[in-house]
Amino acid sequence: MNSESVCCKNILIVHGPNLNLLGMREPEIYGSSTLLDINRNLDKLAGDAGITLDFFQSNAESALIERIQHAMSDGTNFIIINPAAYTHTSIALRDALAATRLPFIEVHLSNIYARESFRQRSYFSDIAIGIISGLGIKGYELALEYAMASLRSKIEL
């Protein structure tokens, strides 16, 4: 095993549309934490473990697709994504994730299965390593813990 494979473990955190409004938008559903709060917390957890995070948020489907495609060649090892409203509508975003062949976890702050019927269908869940839904910001932390453990186990192989 060379030192390069140990030192460079990168996780991409993708936040979909309207997540830039966290803390202001429907706090009774999404909580009072901001996107910056979530990112800072994740960055601290990852930094303590020597993992590099790259955060990306966009309201534009095309920008999200382009960033995910870029993950194929930028050293990303794992993706954590909250596709937000695109969960229920974007086959193009699903195709981009599938094309990367990178493991990913789908995260939702609210329980999409306890909400409106149109929110209960995900275009991503069947190709994701896992889905965390309804645990608020803790869902991001749990996804990160799993991703880091997964990357550590690959280092030890």
Side-chain angles (χ1 to χ4, degrees):
M1 168 173 62
N2 66 39
S3 61
E4 211 173 280
S5 67
V6 175
C7 75
C8 302
K9 294 300 178 184
N10 304 302
I11 300 172
L12 172 61
I13 313 291
V14 179
H15 305 288
N18 297 311
L19 292 173
N20 57 307
L21 299 177
L22 286 176
M24 298 178 287
R25 177 183 174 230
E26 299 174 282
E28 67 282 0
I29 295 174
Y30 301 109
S32 59
S33 295
T34 66
L35 190 59
L36 184 58
D37 294 335
I38 292 169
N39 289 348
R40 282 183 182 154
N41 184 45
L42 294 177
D43 214 22
K44 180 177 177 353
L45 293 170
D48 292 346
I51 302 284
T52 302
L53 298 183
D54 182 21
F55 299 99
F56 185 78
Q57 188 280 326
S58 181
N59 295 320
E61 184 179 31
S62 62
L64 294 165
I65 290 166
E66 288 175 10
R67 180 60 189 97
I68 289 167
Q69 289 177 354
H70 184 62
M72 295 170 67
S73 61
D74 72 354
T76 296
N77 304 103
F78 205 104
I79 298 172
I80 296 170
I81 183 170
N82 182 341
Y86 290 133
T87 301
H88 327 290
T89 64
S90 184
I91 295 168
L93 197 53
R94 173 202 168 86
D95 289 349
L97 284 163
T100 69
R101 300 176 148 296
L102 292 168
F104 75 93
I105 296 175
E106 177 183 353
V107 175
H108 299 283
L109 295 167
S110 68
N111 181 352
I112 64 173
Y113 302 103
R115 298 194 56 198
E116 305 92 335
S117 60
F118 68 86
R119 293 189 195 273
Q120 295 175 15
R121 168 73 169 110
S122 169
Y123 280 106
F124 306 97
S125 297
D126 65 316
I127 61 170
I129 295 286
I131 178 172
I132 302 172
S133 179
L135 300 181
I137 63 171
K138 186 68 175 172
Y140 279 102
E141 295 169 16
L142 294 170
L144 180 59
E145 286 177 23
Y146 180 89
M148 291 188 307
S150 175
L151 294 176
R152 275 193 301 271
S153 71
K154 288 181 181 177
I155 290 170
E156 295 166 3
L157 295 177

